[in-house]
Amino acid sequence: MSAAAEEGSARTPWALTAPALMLFVGVLLIPLAMTVMLSFHDWGQYKGIEPVFILKNWREIATDPYYAEMFWRTFRIAILTTLLTALLGAPEAYILNRMSGRWKSFFLLVILGPLLISVVARTLGWALLFGGNNGLVNKLLMSLGVIRSPIPFMFTETGVVVALAHVMMPFMVLSVWAALQRLDPQIENAAMSLGAGPVTIIRRIIMPQIMPGVLSGAIIVFSLSASAFATPAIIGGRRLKVAATLAYDEFLNTLNWPLGAAVATLLLVALVLIVVGSNALIERRYAEVFR
Amino acid sequence: MAYLELDRVAKQFGAQTVVDDFSLSVGKGEFISFLGPSGCGKTTTLQMIAGFLDPTRGAIRLEGKDLTAIHPAKRGLGIVFQSYALFPHMTAAENVAFGLEMRNVPRNERAERVRAALAMVGLAGFEDRHPRRMSGGQQQRVALARALVIKPSVLLLDEPLSNLDAKLREEMQIELRQIQRTIGTTTILVTHDQNEAMSLSDRIVVMSQGKIEQIGTPQETYERPASAFVSQFLGKTNDFAGTIDRTVAPTQLVAGSWRAPAPAGLGGPVTVSVRPERIGFGDAGLGAKIITRIFQGNHWLFQCESECGPAIVIRQNDGQTQPAEGDAVRLTWRPEDMSVRARAGA
Ligand SMILES: Nc1ncnc2c1ncn2[C@@H]1O[C@H](COP(=O)(O)OP(=O)(O)OP(=O)(O)O)[C@@H](O)[C@H]1O
Ligand SMILES: [Mg+2]
């Protein structure tokens, strides 16, 4: 009897988590597994998808330099976006944190407000400003005679990086902001009383302490940028494909679902490896300081 | 000759005056405590000396030179913060070395001075620990070593012991006093703990609502409190309403049936303050009845109802029989054990 009771109590946690677990399996694991399986199926222009197990798609991705270039571009854009958000976002969060009461909440709202607006709308804003001859900024600058031809922005990597950085900025600012909240409010005064000037204080005292915040922000921004769809689709278009837009095209235009699935799977695996790896590195690096 | 001098210093935040008319001169090597309840402006005053806040009015001088004109980074003061404000990403030794680095002390000398400073606060062997891996008391010591290693002209301590448990706090008090005596650094300690202020300082500055109530040695402030606030704040006290009777000669101070020759310079209604341990039981004096009697080992605590309101009496446990609960007694004290102040109204 007691054995039965014990068995029952061992089952309780499973029973309690079952609904969430089922949802997790149902909406995430099963589609994921199906996508992975799909990447091994065959596809032909006329025969459609054939549920066989072949490595054709994977071999194509591995050998055709087109895919290598496209993946390299994806990660290059993600890295540049991450660097840009870190370079602008960390000082932004620091300045924000030093503002007093009312201004602080106002500017925090200004920075986080965009999160409430759709990514598509925010990206289209950039297109309106810089899109070819009709872009507002281009028109203005050309009519002022500052530039002859429109600033190359649409369909360029620079354009994608700038627009992505704009979209991702709140995540970086929030992450650094959280790290700044953990700082001792007197820490700058302590450094100052020991004779440190403002530059030394930032470099030697503030930066090392907010670094974990910058790095975790970087991981978020990097993974979101590498898998971003809307912004590269609008700014980069067909001419400048990244992994996400390529997978989309394979699925919906070429209808080569297995190849699209292989691209999506590779992107996912690469991202998981990068994120888990860098996270482990960061945790080890800062283990003794931030427990 | 004053070493550190605060001359009618005041600080306002908007319309609120937080510190007002604060004048104090500190001698070289002196240990001063700012004592007062929460929010009375102790930290604000300390931060003005440190330079993190600018005084609204008044002057602060160190060795005759205007301190407010000097940037906080150049004042050369040692500060221990209530939260310690250690640099969590640096080891204990790196924390202590930071101030020396800023002064461009050569590496060898720096290492030697850091080692000596950590040894002085009893942390030899903890050089490579990070603050988060240290106990509160150890962190406190690192903060003290970090402030002292730069040989500050003045050491400012903002409630450095308030985060420690009672036993450790007592140990650190003794240690702090010893270190301060040894190296002779002029020290200002902020505290709201009257025992701490009394056991550590040469002089206490008792503050209330941004104003100085009294400046004096621990004994003076305890035995000759300048105001009702001071006598209430520094330990238990009995306040009796009395009057000075000028109709008789010589003039008499009367409180209930207790009477004594009146002190000079006062008349009319007064408040008579007497510490509980200075009151004895006698044949004549203030009539009272003992309500409760509590035995506390080395002393007895009596709560009485006297002619002039409730009274507390503390008697040393010297083996003699003490009155019991319900007994009628007479409370007496020597005139030099009381302080008499004019009483408003009545
Ligand atoms: N930056 C500020 N702006 C407005 N008011 C302030 C500011 N700093 C302190 N005050 C006010 O000044 C008063 C004194 O503050 P202070 O920190 O000096 O008190 P304290 O004596 O150190 O108290 P505690 O023992 O609680 O530390 C308080 O009423 C506080 O609210
Ligand atoms: Mg304070």
Side-chain angles (χ1 to χ4, degrees):
Chain A
M1 192 220 115
S2 83
E6 226 160 72
E7 202 172 292
S9 71
R11 247 186 269 134
T12 316
W14 289 105
L16 285 174
T17 48
L21 217 59
M22 262 150 64
L23 188 73
F24 180 69
V25 170
V27 306
L28 191 71
L29 284 191
I30 293 178
L32 211 60
M34 283 171 71
T35 309
V36 174
M37 255 148 60
L38 189 61
S39 71
F40 291 103
H41 290 349
D42 193 12
W43 180 85
Q45 191 89 44
Y46 302 107
K47 60 184 179 184
I49 300 168
E50 268 186 31
V52 290
F53 187 89
I54 52 164
L55 290 174
K56 189 180 106 185
N57 304 310
W58 288 100
R59 199 174 301 123
E60 189 178 340
I61 291 176
T63 50
D64 191 339
Y66 171 75
Y67 295 98
E69 192 204 319
M70 193 261 327
F71 266 99
W72 170 229
R73 178 189 303 134
T74 306
F75 287 117
R76 189 170 53 223
I77 287 175
I79 288 169
L80 288 173
T81 304
T82 309
L83 282 179
L84 196 60
T85 49
L87 284 179
L88 295 178
E92 194 172 315
Y94 179 73
I95 292 168
L96 194 67
N97 195 42
R98 293 197 58 142
M99 287 179 171
S100 59
R102 203 166 334 137
W103 287 112
K104 186 144 88 176
S105 20
F106 174 71
F107 278 103
L108 198 62
L109 200 71
V110 168
I111 286 165
L112 301 185
L115 281 179
L116 304 174
I117 304 165
S118 142
V119 179
V120 177
R122 276 184 284 163
T123 307
L124 279 173
W126 284 101
L128 283 178
L129 291 179
F130 289 101
N133 290 322
N134 292 323
L136 227 57
V137 173
N138 280 342
K139 238 194 218 164
L140 186 74
L141 289 181
M142 281 195 293
S143 66
L144 287 175
V146 181
I147 50 171
R148 271 271 171 81
S149 54
I151 299 169
F153 186 88
M154 299 303 286
F155 317 118
T156 65
E157 264 184 48
T158 318
V160 177
V161 167
V162 169
L164 263 181
H166 170 233
V167 170
M168 299 299 168
M169 196 61 85
F171 298 105
M172 181 60 82
V173 173
L174 268 186
S175 180
V176 177
W177 173 267
L180 281 166
Q181 298 311 301
R182 288 198 297 269
L183 247 60
D184 188 307
Q186 295 284 9
I187 204 99
E188 292 192 36
N189 280 346
M192 202 187 339
S193 74
L194 292 167
V199 178
T200 313
I201 291 177
I202 288 180
R203 196 172 56 83
R204 295 278 312 272
I205 306 297
I206 305 298
M207 286 248 286
Q209 291 194 71
I210 61 171
M211 219 44 197
V214 174
L215 291 175
S216 56
I219 289 181
I220 297 171
V221 171
F222 179 84
S223 49
L224 286 179
S225 308
S227 57
F229 172 74
T231 306
I234 294 169
I235 307 284
R238 283 277 162 69
R239 279 190 244 165
L240 196 79
K241 280 194 191 172
V242 294
T245 49
L246 176 73
Y248 174 87
D249 273 349
E250 290 302 334
F251 270 96
L252 292 186
N253 290 332
T254 328
L255 296 181
N256 187 348
W257 285 25
L259 185 61
V263 170
T265 306
L266 185 58
L267 179 65
L268 177 73
V269 170
L271 265 181
V272 167
L273 285 181
I274 290 171
V275 167
V276 171
S278 43
N279 207 28
L281 270 181
I282 292 167
E283 272 182 12
R284 209 173 50 212
R285 168 73 178 77
Y286 291 96
E288 80 255 358
V289 187
F290 300 94
R291 281 195 298 160
Chain B
M1 158 75 196
Y3 184 62
L4 175 69
E5 195 176 9
L6 283 82
D7 187 9
R8 280 163 293 160
V9 170
K11 179 69 190 175
Q12 273 174 302
F13 289 113
Q16 188 196 4
T17 304
V18 169
V19 174
D20 201 12
D21 204 21
F22 193 107
S23 293
L24 169 72
S25 55
V26 183
K28 194 165 167 58
E30 210 178 358
F31 196 125
I32 298 274
S33 289
F34 291 175
L35 176 65
S38 188
C40 72
K42 306 181 294 287
T43 299
T44 305
T45 310
L46 204 70
Q47 300 235 328
M48 286 192 283
I49 301 173
F52 306 141
L53 290 173
D54 288 324
T56 314
R57 284 187 299 279
I60 303 176
R61 285 183 287 270
L62 183 67
E63 292 184 286
K65 286 196 296 281
D66 182 13
L67 201 58
T68 43
I70 304 172
H71 188 267
K74 304 263 181 255
R75 291 190 187 192
L77 312 179
I79 303 166
V80 176
F81 296 87
Q82 185 167 357
S83 59
Y84 312 146
L86 294 175
F87 309 131
H89 57 293
M90 298 184 187
T91 63
E94 286 167 347
N95 264 282
V96 177
F98 188 80
L100 297 177
E101 251 177 88
M102 294 302 115
R103 282 165 177 69
N104 296 319
V105 174
R107 186 175 292 272
N108 291 337
E109 186 193 337
R110 205 196 301 161
E112 179 49 37
R113 279 169 71 175
V114 167
R115 203 196 49 71
L118 282 171
M120 179 180 66
V121 296
L123 282 182
F126 284 85
E127 281 80 3
D128 297 328
R129 282 278 185 105
H130 279 88
R132 298 260 160 97
R133 294 261 164 103
M134 298 179 124
S135 73
Q138 290 165 341
Q139 291 183 27
Q140 207 273 329
R141 285 158 204 254
V142 176
L144 188 60
R146 183 178 71 175
L148 285 174
V149 78
I150 60 170
K151 302 203 174 117
S153 46
V154 180
L155 179 63
L156 305 174
L157 308 162
D158 191 356
E159 309 209 20
L161 307 179
S162 63
N163 288 339
L164 307 179
D165 64 59
K167 192 167 169 297
L168 192 57
R169 182 155 59 217
E170 221 162 276
E171 278 174 31
M172 282 305 299
Q173 281 174 7
I174 296 169
E175 214 163 294
L176 190 59
R177 188 63 177 136
Q178 274 169 355
I179 290 172
Q180 198 268 343
R181 283 256 166 81
T182 320
I183 57 179
T185 309
T186 311
T187 303
I188 296 179
L189 169 79
V190 159
T191 180
H192 58 247
D193 177 345
Q194 45 127 343
N195 287 325
E196 191 169 297
M198 292 218 239
S199 53
L200 286 174
S201 3
D202 296 319
R203 282 193 299 157
I204 298 178
V205 178
V206 187
M207 295 174 65
S208 156
Q209 298 183 344
K211 291 215 173 65
I212 295 179
E213 291 279 336
Q214 186 172 10
I215 303 177
T217 65
Q219 230 178 331
E220 274 167 17
T221 50
Y222 186 78
E223 284 171 4
R224 299 261 162 272
S227 65
F229 175 84
V230 176
S231 75
Q232 296 289 350
F233 196 72
L234 290 173
K236 295 195 185 86
T237 195
N238 294 295
D239 283 340
F240 300 122
T243 43
I244 288 181
D245 188 357
R246 296 201 169 281
T247 57
V248 291
T251 50
Q252 291 243 300
L253 167 58
V254 185
S257 17
W258 186 90
R259 51 188 58 237
L266 278 170
V270 291
T271 301
V272 179
S273 291
V274 198
R275 296 287 178 192
E277 68 273 16
R278 296 296 171 85
I279 301 182
F281 301 119
D283 300 328
L286 191 63
K289 197 177 139 200
I290 292 176
I291 309 294
T292 52
R293 184 179 80 164
I294 301 166
F295 180 58
Q296 300 203 317
N298 63 350
H299 68 266
W300 295 87
L301 179 71
F302 298 92
Q303 280 167 334
C304 314
E305 193 55 52
S306 79
E307 294 166 73
C308 301
I312 307 168
V313 179
I314 291 175
R315 295 308 304 160
Q316 212 59 51
N317 178 13
D318 51 6
Q320 311 220 339
T321 45
Q322 300 289 347
E325 286 179 8
D327 284 3
V329 289
R330 293 272 167 184
L331 308 181
T332 64
W333 58 89
R334 296 179 303 170
E336 59 265 38
D337 286 335
M338 66 181 178
S339 61
V340 183
R341 296 182 301 274
R343 175 159 49 101

